Structures are given as C-alpha cells and as structure tokens.
Amino acid sequence: MPNERCIHLCQPDAGKSCGACCGIYNYADSAPEVLRARLRRRTARFRGDVHRRDDLTAFARTIRLAEDQTRRFDGIYCCEYVGFLDPGERRVGCLLHPAQNGGVDLRGVSFYGRDLCDGHLCPSHQFLSLAEQTMLVEILDDWYLYGLCITDIDLVKGYFRHIGECIGGTPLPEMFRKGLAREIARRFFAYKIDWPFRSSERNRWGRFSFDGPRHLIRPIDYAAIGAGPSRYDGIFLSLCSLFRDREQLLLAEGLIRANIEAAAAACEGPS
Ligand code: SF4
Ligand code: SF4
C-alpha cells in the first residue's frame, strides 16, 4: 500500500522535479552537464518544431538521429520526450504532458503509452515514509541530484537511520528545513555525484551492475582487502563504491561517519 499521505515526489515544488523513470540517467554518459545540455537542446527543438500531434513522429526521429542513444542498461528505455518544463531549467519532466501543451495530452505516442506514463508511481512512493520523503524534498533543490536520491530508497533510509541512532530517535523534517543540518545533509547526498571512491565502470549504477539483460546487486568484497563488512555497507553500495585497499575503506568510513555525526549534532543543536 502506498503511504496514505504522500507528497508528489515527481514534481514536489517549483524548484525541482524527477525524471528518473523516463530514463534520463540511463544514457551511457549521464553526467550532470552532459544531461543538462541534452535536455536543453531537445526542449528547444520541441518548442520550435512541435506545433501539433502530427509533428511528433518527425521530432522523435530527429532526436534519435541527433543524440547519442547508447544506454547504460538496454532494459531501461530512454524516452525522447523528457525535457525542461520551465524556462529556468529547474524542473525536468514530460514535454507531452497536457500541462505543457495547452491541455492537450500527447503521451499516447510514447513508448510506454499514456496510461502507464500517467499512472506510474515508483517504489519510493510506497517505501519511503512521509518523513523521509519530506526531509529529502526539504534538503535538495536541484533536479539532477534530487532524481538520483529520491529513487535510492536504501540511501535515504540508511542515512536517516544512522542519524536516528546518533540522536536516539527518528529525525524530523523540521530539523532539515534550513540551517546547518540541511547543509550537512545536502553534502552527504551530493556524494551520489562526487563520491571519491566511486567505481568508474559504466555498467554500474548505484548498487546494481548490469550484464546484458540482467542486473545484479554487486556486493563489496571486504575480505579481498582484509576487512570485515562495514556498518555503512548499504550506503557504500548506493554510492557505487570500489575500494582498492583497507586504507581507502577506512577513509570512506571516516567521511560518512563525520557527516552523520555532524548532521546529528546539528539536529540536536539550535537551527
Ligand atoms: S522515478 Fe518516481 S519520483 Fe521520479 S518521476 Fe518516476 S515515479 Fe516520479
Ligand atoms: S512520454 Fe512517458 S516516459 Fe516519456 S517523458 Fe513523458 S512520462 Fe516520461
């Protein structure tokens, strides 16, 4: 059952949104600046070329020819109709949505079809608590990082659970609404982009490793570096970690521990 009270995770506010299930992170090169440039060009082309439904076939063909279609994982479709929804490029989403086309719903031409596109709710709606959803929405304010994190249930749950263990209770959304705790938490989630121990293998994504049509969870081989499982294993998996030796593991644990303890202290102190 989805949470009875949940927020609109796809478009939570005017400052950000998520396009993960439309495949934006599945391009082989989905680095922030590369993806931003792709969506910018595509949106401009859509606004310039699509004036009625009949224009969509030509638009889709042009996008497929003009853009690098190499995917990280063949089993996940990369939709050609995701773009920026606002002039400030703060929200990504569906260019075929009626809100983008004077009330006309064009999603029927898409790979998934109108009903799937309209009705899909990813597992984060169900498995993240309302408090976890709210905290993430409060903490993050850019679409790229928000989409990466709101879909990483284990990362979100793991982080707030560790903070909860430090403060002896469940973290509350008001602790992250502003101030130091918010800044520290934002630094933590930014590790999704700049984690220093991130594997460079293109077929890896968070905790998953793709092999043709299969995707597997790729465990960290602690024994190979002479260590036991880390208490931060879940976080390390989400961050796509690869440790060359035990020293790297200890450094990584130090970074995560320092962030969690600092966030916990900020939660307990004046905001
Ligand atoms: S991945 Fe989830 S939050 Fe993101 S757009 Fe899809 S359904 Fe919405
Ligand atoms: S058509 Fe469907 S998959 Fe494509 S951008 Fe719109 S909602 Fe996403």
Side-chain angles (χ1 to χ4, degrees):
M1 286 278 292
N3 291 312
E4 278 181 23
R5 294 162 56 234
C6 65
I7 46 186
H8 188 10
L9 296 184
C10 313
Q11 302 280 335
D13 57 44
K16 60 182 168 290
S17 66
C18 173
C21 60
C22 307
I24 59 173
Y25 303 112
N26 193 38
Y27 293 105
D29 189 351
S30 298
E33 65 285 359
V34 175
L35 191 52
R36 182 180 300 278
R38 180 192 287 264
L39 298 184
R40 177 177 296 152
R41 283 193 303 269
R42 181 188 295 181
T43 305
R45 200 184 290 264
F46 185 91
R47 302 281 180 233
D49 294 355
V50 177
H51 305 290
R52 53 187 184 276
R53 192 181 299 262
D54 290 351
D55 296 330
L56 290 169
T57 307
F59 170 80
R61 192 183 318 118
T62 305
I63 294 298
R64 282 194 286 270
L65 288 173
E67 296 184 4
D68 181 0
Q69 298 297 315
T70 315
R71 297 183 210 173
R72 196 184 295 274
F73 177 46
D74 283 340
I76 296 175
Y77 188 70
C78 295
C79 183
E80 59 273 44
Y81 297 114
V82 202
F84 286 116
L85 303 182
D86 60 317
E89 299 183 350
R90 300 187 71 191
R91 289 185 299 121
V92 289
C94 182
L95 296 173
L96 302 182
H97 192 279
Q100 292 290 308
N101 297 287
V104 180
D105 193 336
L106 300 173
R107 291 173 291 180
V109 305
S110 71
F111 175 80
Y112 292 117
R114 198 209 77 89
D115 289 352
L116 257 184
C117 288
D118 190 45
H120 176 70
L121 289 179
C122 69
S124 302
H125 290 81
Q126 180 176 356
F127 293 110
L128 291 179
S129 69
L130 181 62
E132 290 162 342
Q133 295 177 5
T134 307
M135 288 189 283
L136 203 68
V137 169
E138 299 279 6
I139 290 164
L140 298 180
D141 55 12
D142 85 275
W143 62 270
Y144 188 93
L145 189 55
Y146 173 72
L148 284 181
C149 295
I150 195 65
T151 49
D152 194 333
I153 294 169
D154 295 303
L155 184 72
V156 176
K157 283 195 171 298
Y159 184 57
F160 292 125
R161 179 174 52 76
H162 281 293
I163 292 175
E165 286 170 5
C166 289
I167 65 176
T170 307
L172 303 171
E174 48 266 37
M175 294 172 173
F176 295 95
R177 200 148 286 150
K178 58 183 182 173
L180 190 56
R182 180 172 185 262
E183 287 312 309
I184 295 166
R186 194 191 312 224
R187 173 89 286 286
F188 171 82
F189 286 110
Y191 281 144
K192 278 294 267 186
I193 298 174
D194 60 11
W195 180 233
F197 306 100
R198 181 189 179 90
S199 165
S200 59
E201 291 174 277
R202 279 260 167 106
N203 67 334
R204 290 193 61 182
W205 186 250
R207 61 187 50 235
F208 297 109
S209 174
F210 301 115
D211 177 15
R214 298 184 308 154
H215 66 285
L216 316 158
I217 292 182
R218 176 89 163 262
I220 295 169
D221 190 353
Y222 293 102
I225 53 172
S230 172
R231 67 182 307 227
Y232 301 124
D233 180 62
I235 289 173
F236 289 156
L237 282 173
S238 281
L239 297 178
C240 206
S241 305
L242 179 68
F243 303 118
R244 201 176 49 235
D245 50 36
R246 191 161 178 274
E247 199 168 298
Q248 283 200 339
L249 172 65
L250 293 176
L251 280 171
E253 287 184 328
L255 286 176
I256 299 299
R257 186 184 314 111
N259 183 288
I260 288 168
E261 289 177 358
C267 284
E268 291 178 312
S271 61

